[in-house]
Amino acid sequence: MSSGRRTIHKSRNTAKSEVRDLLESVFAAELLKPSKCLWVVAPWISDVVIFDNSAGKFSMFPDYLGRKIPLSVVLQEIASRGAQVVVVISDDHPNEGFKDAIKRRFQESGVSDRLTIVVESVQELHEKAITGDDFVISGSMNFTKTGIEFRTEKIVFSMDEVEVSDSIFHCATRYGEGNPA
């Protein structure tokens, strides 16, 4: 991975743990050093588990000791550490649970000004990416249990400056940079 780029080809039976490890590593890095703006873009997003805290190794989540930590909680914590979070999602009904959960968590923690939710037509939104200051994860995978666990997907992780800059420019131009404090 000396080029700062890695491609994962996964299926129901292969590389599933690699995708989980990648997501866990990227979100752990974001918790330590949050991006100015973090974009999470996919037609379908659910409150997937990011960290398994059953052993209590993530003390930054005291309400989740011995429990699994979902995406909405992780994004809220990243926002509470200074990041703007922009979630881009389709208007398809299965996304309502995640939208409600993330809005509630951000409101309860007093950081709702750090969350922007952009809703696009399910017929138009096909892009899937997570973009931060120094990385981009892209490919065919939606951020759902089905996408992470079961479907055959291609996931590309890149820290290449040109790729990251292009993704930041695209996201900022198309979806905005959130609600600056």
Side-chain angles (χ1 to χ4, degrees):
M1 201 162 83
S2 60
S3 68
R5 192 170 209 279
R6 178 170 183 214
T7 301
I8 301 171
H9 295 274
K10 71 160 256 345
S11 69
R12 175 185 295 262
N13 300 318
T14 62
K16 187 171 30 177
S17 64
E18 291 179 47
V19 172
R20 287 207 166 278
D21 289 348
L22 173 63
L23 292 173
E24 186 175 283
S25 296
V26 164
F27 283 113
E30 279 296 308
L31 287 163
L32 294 172
K33 184 179 176 251
S35 293
K36 177 184 170 201
C37 187
L38 181 67
W39 291 270
V40 180
V41 181
W44 293 279
I45 303 175
S46 58
D47 220 359
V48 293
V49 171
I50 299 300
F51 300 115
D52 182 349
N53 203 24
S54 54
K57 63 182 177 180
F58 297 101
S59 60
M60 67 191 74
F61 298 101
D63 294 343
Y64 285 84
L65 292 176
R67 297 176 22 194
K68 295 181 178 185
I69 305 168
L71 178 60
S72 63
V73 171
V74 174
L75 292 175
Q76 175 270 312
E77 184 62 29
I78 291 168
S80 73
R81 293 168 183 241
Q84 289 295 132
V85 175
V86 178
V87 174
V88 183
I89 200 165
S90 77
D91 58 2
D92 202 11
H93 182 71
N95 292 321
E96 293 303 316
F98 177 73
K99 286 192 319 190
D100 292 345
I102 197 166
K103 284 181 189 177
R104 184 182 71 252
R105 291 191 196 288
F106 273 64
Q107 286 172 345
E108 289 172 356
S109 64
V111 292
S112 56
D113 62 325
R114 296 201 159 274
L115 173 67
T116 300
I117 298 176
V118 177
V119 178
E120 294 207 336
S121 165
V122 71
Q123 286 82 21
E124 291 185 27
L125 182 63
H126 190 67
E127 180 176 10
K128 293 116 180 152
I130 301 173
T131 303
D133 287 349
D134 54 10
F135 74 92
V136 61
I137 299 172
S138 60
S140 61
M141 183 181 74
N142 285 294
F143 304 115
T144 62
K145 183 173 181 164
T146 301
I148 294 169
E149 300 276 332
F150 302 112
R151 296 217 188 268
T152 300
E153 306 283 1
K154 178 180 177 182
I155 300 96
V156 178
F157 171 75
S158 179
M159 294 176 68
D160 177 83
E161 289 181 27
V162 173
E163 285 184 69
V164 173
S165 294
D166 285 349
S167 189
I168 289 171
F169 179 77
H170 168 73
C171 287
T173 302
R174 175 134 178 120
Y175 308 119
E177 295 183 67
N179 304 313

